[in-house]
Amino acid sequence: MHVTRQISRRSMLKASGAAVAATAGLVAAGRPAAAADGAFAHPGLLHTRTDLDRMAAKVKAGAAPYTAGFARLTANRHAQSGWQPRPQAVVYRGSGTPENYTILYNDIHAAYQNALRFHVTGESAYADTAVAILNAWSSTLTAVNGSADRFLAAGLYGYQFANAAELVRDHGDFELARFQEMLSEKFGAMSDDFLVRHNNAVVSNYWTNWDLANMACVLATGIFCDDRAQVARAVDYFKNGAGLGSIRNAIPVVYDDGADAGLAEWLEAGRDQGHALLGVGLMGTFCEMAWNQGIDLYGYDDSRFLKGAQYVAKWSLGGQVPFTANTRRKGAIGGWSGSETVTAAAGVDPAMTRPIWAMIANHYTRRRGLSAPYLTRIAAKAAPEGGGGDYGPNSGGFDQLGFGTLTFTRDRASAAGASASPSPAASASTAASASASAPVSASPAPSAQGGRGDLAATGSGDVVGWTAATGITALAGGLLLLRRRGRRAE
């Protein structure tokens, strides 16, 4: 049985600040109030001041496993002071273009790694190198172009750029305003537009990781630029977005009974292992950045992400996982269309790894004191985590910033300190006060290089879809046929 009704094209980002405030999941009680001007906590993306101080102190003390994580950093060629950037006026990613995006992601990772090394050692040469890289790009870049893959470039490299810059935003030579302008106009606006229009495609055309990359960019850009409305839109999309990156679409089936209790199916497990790992890493990144501004998405919907991450961890370790068959629609609005099906989880290579697990495992087992046996095992297996340049030369090895053993290892919280609440310097007012008139898109749509060719180039021609056995369940913005075992995705 296949879905034949075309998914309607509509805006997926809610504009109402009141609606966002009602669903933001912020924890205000007992938490520091936001700054008087409503600004966000800085540094406050993947790493807070407390995190950075912890890393430095632990490395100085020779504490394990921090020293092993730091050794991975110092051995990486990107983490060396004096790295020479190669800024480009136009970055291209995708078939049919003069691709040069490898230059961009190598420079971003060099900026991040040098900035991180500065915070651990206090040696100014590393901060100076990071600033020189970031300033070179903000003074040169005019556009991010390419096939549909330009949206991947905007999402992935936008959130990474923001994280690198966040670590040196107070450096005297850093051109903060210019960088904010570049980040907002060249990356954030494109990612915002993707979440609204999906490149003029059927909303389920693009797999989970496409949405998540652009969600991460919108959130990181909003925090870095102190744009509360943009952050509110990103958080609302995580909860209610029509695309496959929102949490109930990315994790459509929760298993509540029998041997599979506590697991929740990750949608892209039906596609392949690499993209499933990418998606889990991106959702973890999104949750961590939100947490550091007082927004608890890790625990949202009865810790749905924990169950999805446990599922992918068990599967990636070679374990047997349940799978509910699904079908998805793809194609262009008003153009070609099709559907694809999958009935089982894809095969895995237990040796495949990405530097994503330390962040997620430490949140659930150390911050919250929860049991997460598969996360614990896979994080230990992946340790000490490296970063860009340690996982091959291709783009997949640079999709995460990495070094989680150094940056996310933390002491287990005491029984009194273990909390289901975030503990940063941002209160409910930070996102809840987003303007009720916040636009659903930061800019007009980039020209859709439409037609079958452009959409097919995104992987829609080689993706694995999902089919149904019985029952119809509505997802926001579209229909998926799902045989539900356990809890439904409401």
Side-chain angles (χ1 to χ4, degrees):
M1 185 175 182
H2 293 265
V3 177
T4 57
R5 195 177 106 187
Q6 180 165 308
I7 299 172
S8 63
R9 179 181 178 220
R10 67 181 179 85
S11 169
M12 279 74 76
L13 300 179
K14 293 186 177 180
S16 169
V20 171
T23 61
L26 305 181
V27 181
R31 302 300 170 196
D37 61 359
F40 290 97
H42 298 293
L45 289 175
L46 284 175
H47 314 304
T48 66
R49 171 54 55 195
T50 298
D51 294 332
L52 296 168
D53 290 346
R54 180 186 65 247
M55 298 172 215
K58 293 289 190 179
V59 171
K60 183 178 181 180
Y66 300 90
T67 50
F70 185 60
R72 291 297 306 265
L73 175 65
T74 58
N76 194 300
R77 72 183 185 90
H78 296 78
Q80 310 309 313
S81 63
W83 176 281
Q84 295 299 308
R86 293 193 292 155
Q88 308 291 302
V90 181
V91 167
Y92 296 93
R93 177 168 177 167
S95 59
T97 68
E99 288 191 307
N100 61 355
Y101 69 101
T102 60
I103 297 172
L104 174 60
Y105 66 64
N106 275 281
D107 276 0
I108 292 174
H109 282 254
Y112 173 76
Q113 292 179 28
N114 270 275
L116 192 59
R117 192 167 179 178
F118 160 71
H119 280 285
V120 175
T121 67
E123 297 177 51
S124 61
Y126 299 111
D128 294 344
T129 296
V131 167
I133 296 167
L134 299 170
N135 283 348
W137 277 93
S138 67
S139 68
T140 305
L141 185 68
T142 62
V144 177
N145 287 337
S147 68
D149 286 13
R150 69 192 184 276
F151 291 109
L152 281 178
L156 291 169
Y157 310 136
Y159 95 78
Q160 293 176 1
F161 244 154
N163 272 277
E166 182 78 348
L167 295 180
V168 294
R169 66 182 294 136
D170 294 328
H171 190 287
D173 293 332
F174 179 51
E175 297 286 350
L176 175 61
R178 190 175 73 196
F179 194 89
Q180 287 176 319
E181 181 180 6
M182 179 198 71
L183 187 65
S184 180
E185 294 182 0
K186 306 305 186 296
F187 294 90
M190 186 179 292
S191 288
D192 211 345
D193 185 85
F194 180 82
L195 297 178
V196 174
R197 295 177 176 84
H198 285 87
N199 196 30
N200 199 39
V202 173
V203 71
S204 58
N205 183 78
Y206 291 94
W207 280 99
T208 296
N209 70 88
W210 286 75
D211 261 16
L212 285 169
N214 285 284
M215 290 161 60
C217 178
V218 172
L219 179 64
T221 301
I223 294 170
F224 187 80
C225 298
D226 291 313
D227 186 334
R228 292 168 297 172
Q230 187 167 342
V231 170
R233 292 199 306 276
V235 171
D236 185 61
Y237 194 94
F238 176 91
K239 297 179 178 183
N240 303 307
L244 300 185
S246 61
I247 189 165
R248 290 190 182 99
N249 292 353
I251 309 172
V253 184
V254 173
Y255 298 96
D256 282 338
D257 61 326
D260 301 324
L263 299 180
E265 186 172 311
W266 188 264
L267 196 64
E268 283 191 287
R271 183 185 183 188
D272 61 60
Q273 184 184 8
H275 286 97
L277 293 174
L278 169 60
V280 169
L282 288 169
M283 186 171 282
T285 294
F286 191 94
C287 290
E288 185 70 17
M289 293 189 298
W291 176 274
N292 286 334
Q293 296 299 332
I295 308 167
D296 183 14
L297 300 178
Y298 276 119
Y300 181 71
D301 196 18
D302 194 25
S303 296
R304 195 182 192 95
F305 177 48
L306 168 61
K307 298 168 187 176
Q310 280 268 92
Y311 177 101
V312 174
K314 180 181 180 182
W315 170 62
S316 292
L317 288 165
Q320 294 295 312
V321 292
F323 193 87
T324 298
N326 298 281
T327 292
R328 78 180 179 105
R329 291 195 65 248
K330 60 176 187 172
I333 300 297
W336 68 278
S337 64
S339 63
E340 292 176 316
T341 64
V342 68
T343 58
V348 299
D349 174 4
M352 181 184 290
T353 188
R354 286 178 182 259
I356 63 174
W357 298 110
M359 172 176 60
I360 303 167
N362 271 278
H363 173 79
Y364 286 114
T365 66
R366 297 303 179 98
R367 274 192 185 134
R368 278 197 148 104
L370 301 176
S371 174
Y374 300 114
L375 287 176
T376 300
R377 284 176 53 196
I378 203 165
K381 183 178 179 181
E385 289 181 354
D390 291 326
Y391 299 88
N394 298 324
S395 60
F398 291 81
D399 287 342
Q400 285 85 31
L401 291 168
F403 300 105
T405 304
L406 169 66
T407 60
F408 298 113
T409 300
R410 61 188 73 247
D411 296 329
R412 184 179 296 276
S414 64
S419 173
S421 305
S423 55
S427 73
S429 63
T430 301
S433 59
S435 169
S437 60
V440 298
S441 177
S443 69
S447 59
Q449 301 174 12
R452 184 180 179 90
D454 189 48
L455 294 178
T458 70
S460 60
D462 62 5
V463 292
V464 185
W466 57 107
T467 192
T470 60
I472 296 179
T473 299
L475 289 171
L479 293 177
L480 289 180
L481 300 176
L482 296 172
R483 174 175 54 82
R484 296 293 181 188
R485 182 181 157 216
R487 206 175 91 212
R488 297 178 59 204
E490 270 100 45

